[in-house]
Amino acid sequence: MRSTERGAFTREERKAALWALLIAAMIALMALMIQQWTRPSLGPWGADQAAASMPGVLDAQPIASRF
């Protein structure tokens, strides 16, 4: 390392770090935008089966309450 340089990193290293930070920020922003446009995957229970109700589930009550 030359004695004329200041700091622990060279100019090229700081420039590479800045580019890496900008690219990571762009990827994160793009992921957030894509997430807003898409619905979560329900896997095999998606589409038609997502609205199917299970009998007795809405009427289910706990057997005993300790409170």
Side-chain angles (χ1 to χ4, degrees):
M1 186 159 122
R2 291 184 242 148
S3 61
T4 58
E5 292 183 19
R6 296 185 339 188
F9 300 104
T10 65
R11 181 179 208 164
E12 290 81 19
E13 289 172 333
R14 288 191 301 267
K15 188 176 179 181
L18 180 63
W19 275 110
L21 184 63
L22 289 173
I23 291 170
M26 286 177 41
I27 290 172
L29 288 174
M30 288 173 51
L32 286 173
M33 288 190 310
I34 290 171
Q35 183 180 10
Q36 294 297 320
W37 292 332
T38 60
R39 294 184 297 174
S41 172
L42 298 176
W45 297 278
D48 299 332
Q49 296 179 0
S53 62
M54 296 172 59
V57 171
L58 296 176
D59 300 330
Q61 298 293 324
I63 295 173
S65 176
R66 294 184 181 183
F67 299 110

